[in-house]
Amino acid sequence: MTTLTTREAVTRARGYRQAVLSWVGADGYPMSVSGSFRTDATAGTVVVGPLPTSSRPPAGQEVCVTFSHIRPQRGVGYDERRYINLWGPATHDGGSVRVVADRASGWDEAEVPFFEYAERNVPRARSYMENLGAQLRLSPFWKFFLATRLPFLTATIIPVSLGGAVAASHGSFHWGWFLLTLLGAASVHLGLNMANDLFDDINGADAANVTPTPFSGGSRVLQYGLVSRRGMLGACVGFYLFAAAIGLLLAATRTWSILWVGVVGVVLSLVYSAPPFRLVHRGLGEPVTALGFGPVMAVGAYLAVAQEWNWEPVLASIPVAIFVALILYVNQVPDRIGDAVVGKRTLIVRWPKARVIAVYTGLAAIAFVVIGVNALTSVSPIWTLAALVTVPLALRVRRGLVKHYDQPYALMPAMQDNIVLHLTSGLLLIIGYVVHNLLA
Amino acid sequence: MAGVLPPEVEELFDAALVGELTVVGRKGRPITYPLIPLYDGQYVYLTSAVLFSKKLGHIKANPKVSISLSDPVAVPAANFARVTLQGDAEVIEDDTHEGWEELLPLWRAKEPVIDSFVKKRFAIPLFFERSIIRITPKRVLYWRGGDTEVDPQVFELEGVS
């Protein structure tokens, strides 16, 4: 509920069909009666009625006048939810009741979307549950799913699979080593997601963000009290240790070069959000993400499978690197207000809308040019040109940014398209290699 | 079995998708909240997410409440009328996670989409931690045809529990 000026409340009331007048009766029970009404915004008054004597509060009685609108949509829920409450003393005006508003509040989901309204009340909810001695519950699966942000693993699966596909095109592939590499890379990724949530909880960025979406604003498990910081830290360290064990095993059994790639990956994942580096706070989150979820993972997978160095996984993964960085880039758009509050100066915080969109367009264009150049110069198989069919997706994301830059929830389809762009283009690059291998 | 409310009032509560709950706030001020009312023949129920718990605090401090059905769009009953029900409310929150789910059959009858929301409760878990507000009706004021320019018909329901 937002506090409104009485003048604003009375002006807005004109858009409603009826008023509900409520007061506390002599017997202590609230009494309510609805009626037609007229307003005077300048005087801050609402006149409700006519009403019979039995349905009027005594003169001088404190009353609440409610204006409520909702559009029930059977099978869908509700929309157009909005209401206003204004309070003041009642006076009699012929057969009607005049209320001079001295206080008002209300909510309109067109201005404050329901999810933001709910998010703003999270501290109240947690405090209420704490007083009840109740614990927010969710099944272990959903806690794991949320805390690790599991669906984002596609950002790891694509570059690792691409590295494996490149190795296969060079005549080297082994499912066991490939899957072990994928497991190790996924562990680093999940550890990174949890570390990022921990740091954003400690620095207040996630708490300051009242417009989280499924794609941005962190997992929220710490803000909602689903997982403790200690639990999150334990799981985070566990994922990193598991990844380190796999890295050592791969290094000892395949090639020691993979150890250095692994170290670079882990270091990048930590300096991304860990103090004192906090590269994401310095506008360097995108290049770090591009490097880590592009060449580092592709080269790591290639080394684990092929046991030798080659430039091809580096070049082939450039488009994937750009698209994954663009996921972070676009997902930071709705986070920018909360990020700015805590000094997390991402590129989106630093730049105006026009530049953000121009850079998105430019980077996406570069990614598609690299796909074309790689294929036409035989760095990658010609079949990888199929990834160019995703150009319309990038254009759709751009249109979404132009239209809904300031509307976090309306921007969600564009954020989803952007993730699908990375996933689809990456899959088509991998399929290009697979087709090449099958036909070779 | 006949319910505790007059049949014409029951019809309204069975149809109502939104009603206006009025509670007594600090300093004795009335405060009104739009909510979906549910009725089982004996009590009127509302549920409140812990996210929006202010009203629960008010009810615990003063259980006297009223609920009005006033908007013909939100009360799609064949014989629309306006009604205000006064009663004593109790907040039931022994189990905010699952306790309110006993009201799902009543909720589902009015809003079938609730099932799909409940399936996605992991996405907004605090919204589905809910307290039940159970109102024991004491008095009903009924405006036939929704005409509030005339005196309401009053039904005293003392003895209901």
Side-chain angles (χ1 to χ4, degrees):
Chain A
M1 209 185 299
T2 312
T3 301
L4 301 169
T5 65
T6 53
R7 188 171 182 156
E8 193 180 3
V10 173
T11 303
R12 290 182 180 204
R14 290 177 188 153
Y16 291 80
R17 286 189 299 271
Q18 62 168 15
V20 178
L21 182 70
S22 304
W23 67 97
V24 180
D27 60 359
Y29 285 99
M31 165 64 190
S32 295
V33 60
S34 61
S36 55
F37 68 97
R38 60 183 194 276
T39 60
D40 181 342
T42 312
T45 59
V46 176
V47 178
V48 183
L51 298 169
T53 310
S54 67
S55 299
R56 276 183 255 155
Q61 172 95 36
E62 178 82 11
V63 300
C64 174
V65 185
T66 303
F67 304 91
S68 174
H69 172 85
I70 198 164
R71 189 169 67 168
Q73 306 257 51
R74 191 163 275 277
V76 177
Y78 304 111
D79 65 2
E80 297 183 356
R81 289 170 291 188
R82 56 180 180 269
Y83 75 97
I84 296 167
N85 275 345
L86 57 83
W87 292 268
T91 54
H92 291 165
D93 181 346
S96 299
V97 175
R98 177 183 296 274
V99 181
V100 183
D102 58 28
R103 183 171 147 246
S105 64
W107 174 56
D108 184 342
E109 73 173 334
E111 294 169 359
V112 180
F114 173 76
F115 290 106
E116 180 180 344
Y117 185 39
E119 202 63 39
R120 287 182 185 278
N121 282 287
V122 166
R124 175 194 301 280
R126 287 197 62 184
S127 154
Y128 190 81
M129 290 194 70
E130 203 175 303
N131 290 336
L132 279 183
Q135 185 81 33
L136 178 58
R137 282 187 277 158
L138 210 56
S139 72
F141 169 78
W142 284 118
K143 275 189 192 175
F144 179 80
F145 181 89
L146 292 175
T148 56
R149 287 183 270 169
L150 205 57
F152 282 95
L153 266 188
T154 55
T156 288
I157 294 169
I158 292 295
V160 170
S161 301
L162 185 60
V166 176
S169 76
H170 294 177
S172 311
F173 190 77
H174 187 286
W175 274 106
W177 297 121
F178 168 75
L179 291 174
L180 195 60
T181 309
L182 186 59
L183 193 60
S187 293
V188 174
H189 185 174
L190 299 184
L192 154 70
N193 284 349
M194 297 181 113
N196 192 28
D197 264 8
L198 273 168
F199 290 122
D200 276 352
D201 183 53
I202 291 164
N203 67 34
D206 281 348
N209 187 340
V210 290
T211 56
T213 71
F215 313 109
S216 61
S219 72
R220 316 303 288 180
V221 294
L222 292 166
Q223 286 71 43
Y224 295 166
L226 276 167
V227 179
S228 67
R229 274 188 188 169
R230 179 178 289 209
M232 197 79 160
L233 179 63
C236 171
V237 171
F239 277 120
Y240 274 114
L241 288 177
F242 186 59
I246 290 176
L248 285 171
L249 177 66
L250 287 171
T253 53
R254 304 301 287 167
T255 164
W256 283 102
S257 306
I258 203 169
L259 191 63
W260 302 115
V261 177
V263 167
V264 169
V266 169
V267 168
L268 284 176
S269 78
L270 290 174
V271 297
Y272 174 81
S273 53
F277 309 101
R278 302 197 301 180
L279 297 184
V280 68
H281 287 236
R282 303 170 198 275
L284 293 171
E286 284 79 2
V288 169
T289 301
L291 199 57
F293 288 94
V296 169
M297 286 207 178
V299 167
Y302 185 90
L303 281 171
V305 176
Q307 295 179 281
E308 62 180 17
W309 167 263
N310 193 293
W311 277 102
E312 187 173 337
V314 177
L315 298 172
S317 65
I318 289 173
V320 170
I322 293 174
F323 286 134
V324 80
L326 288 180
I327 291 178
L328 173 72
Y329 186 72
V330 171
N331 288 1
Q332 284 172 345
V333 170
D335 292 350
R336 67 188 188 281
I337 294 166
D339 285 348
V341 166
V342 298
K344 190 174 173 181
R345 294 192 34 84
T346 63
L347 295 177
I348 307 295
V349 169
R350 291 162 192 258
W351 292 347
K353 174 183 174 181
R355 188 185 299 173
V356 168
I357 295 171
V359 169
Y360 178 87
T361 311
L363 286 174
I366 290 170
F368 288 119
V369 167
V370 172
I371 290 171
V373 169
N374 277 352
L376 296 175
T377 58
S378 299
V379 167
S380 298
I382 197 74
W383 304 102
T384 57
L385 279 177
L388 294 178
V389 301
T390 58
V391 169
L393 264 177
L395 292 174
R396 216 156 71 186
V397 176
R398 186 185 183 282
R399 279 197 297 275
L401 283 170
V402 170
K403 199 171 171 188
H404 300 300
Y405 196 81
D406 296 315
Q407 301 156 290
Y409 300 107
L411 190 64
M412 279 168 53
M415 289 192 276
Q416 188 167 340
D417 282 342
N418 202 33
I419 293 167
V420 174
L421 169 63
H422 167 263
L423 179 65
T424 313
S425 60
L427 278 175
L428 288 169
L429 290 176
I430 295 162
I431 289 169
Y433 273 95
V434 171
V435 171
H436 170 79
N437 296 346
L438 290 174
L439 297 178
Chain B
M1 193 179 79
V4 298
L5 299 179
E8 59 271 42
V9 177
E10 288 195 330
E11 184 194 341
L12 297 170
F13 273 96
D14 286 342
L17 296 166
V18 181
E20 293 88 29
L21 170 74
T22 301
V23 303
V24 182
R26 284 183 301 127
K27 300 179 187 170
R29 272 187 159 180
I31 308 171
T32 301
Y33 302 89
L35 289 171
I36 180 167
L38 307 171
Y39 173 64
D40 70 350
Q42 187 173 9
Y43 300 104
V44 173
Y45 298 93
L46 307 140
T47 69
S48 170
V50 294
L51 285 162
F52 312 116
S53 57
K54 255 188 182 174
K55 66 178 90 61
L56 301 171
H58 293 316
I59 293 170
K60 287 176 191 173
N62 184 341
K64 292 182 175 178
V65 303
S66 73
I67 178 155
S68 290
L69 308 180
S70 65
D71 180 357
V73 175
V75 186
N79 300 303
F80 176 72
R82 290 193 164 91
V83 65
T84 292
L85 180 150
Q86 297 171 316
D88 296 323
E90 183 185 356
V91 176
I92 302 168
E93 49 194 6
D94 307 331
D95 179 0
T96 56
H97 190 70
E98 289 176 338
W100 62 273
E101 289 184 4
E102 71 188 47
L103 297 175
L104 268 175
L106 292 171
W107 198 335
R108 186 180 297 123
K110 289 186 174 184
E111 217 186 351
V113 74
I114 187 64
D115 287 324
S116 68
F117 291 150
V118 173
K119 279 180 194 158
K120 294 173 194 157
R121 68 185 294 169
F122 66 88
I124 180 168
L126 282 165
F127 182 72
F128 288 104
E129 296 293 328
R130 306 184 75 86
S131 301
I132 297 173
I133 301 166
R134 186 175 71 183
I135 303 172
T136 304
K138 294 291 180 191
R139 183 187 298 128
V140 172
L141 296 95
Y142 178 81
W143 288 270
R144 188 172 302 281
D147 182 4
T148 55
E149 294 185 19
V150 299
D151 287 327
Q153 188 177 350
V154 180
F155 298 92
E156 296 290 348
L157 305 170
E158 287 302 335
V160 170
S161 64

